[in-house]
Amino acid sequence: MKFCDECGSMMKSGEGEDHWVCDSCGYEIGRDDGDDEWTTESQVESEIVDVSDAEDKGLPTTTAQCPECDNDRAYWYMQQIRSADESETRFFVCTECEHKWREDDH
């Protein structure tokens, strides 16, 4: 990733990927050999780790009634799913059947 020396915006690879181009102000600069060590997310290979049968999910637990199996314990976490000026939504995951639901679901 490279930032524009003129306006500070993030630069992107230009045609042929031999130079950087700023979308905001049009400033261009050649790519150095050291720039090759940076990769984009699509170029990075990731390893998928299966933790579905792990005992501890690393999440806090609370008393919550599962709508699927009536278990009374659930993991919970907060996630921002709306715009930044809206409050976060609390999600629950049953400790027994792993059913997932939101706090405002009925």
Side-chain angles (χ1 to χ4, degrees), residues 10-99:
M10 188 171 66
M11 298 182 81
K12 297 181 180 175
S13 293
E15 291 181 27
E17 298 188 12
D18 59 347
H19 63 282
W20 295 101
V21 178
C22 177
D23 281 344
S24 296
C25 70
Y27 178 75
E28 294 186 23
I29 189 170
R31 291 182 70 146
D32 296 331
D33 291 336
D35 290 342
D36 292 337
E37 67 187 55
W38 296 96
T39 58
T40 62
E41 186 175 330
S42 62
Q43 295 171 325
V44 177
E45 291 185 30
S46 63
E47 180 180 342
I48 298 173
V49 178
D50 182 13
V51 293
S52 59
D53 59 345
E55 187 67 30
D56 182 15
K57 294 191 181 301
L59 299 172
T61 59
T62 188
T63 302
Q65 196 73 32
C66 174
E68 293 292 313
C69 71
D70 290 329
N71 180 35
D72 65 348
R73 297 295 296 167
Y75 300 106
W76 67 273
Y77 63 94
M78 304 288 281
Q79 187 172 1
Q80 186 75 36
I81 60 173
R82 297 181 198 99
S83 62
D85 62 341
E86 299 285 332
S87 62
E88 294 178 309
T89 302
R90 186 181 345 205
F91 287 91
F92 296 99
V93 180
C94 178
T95 57
E96 290 294 318
C97 71
E98 296 188 2
H99 175 71

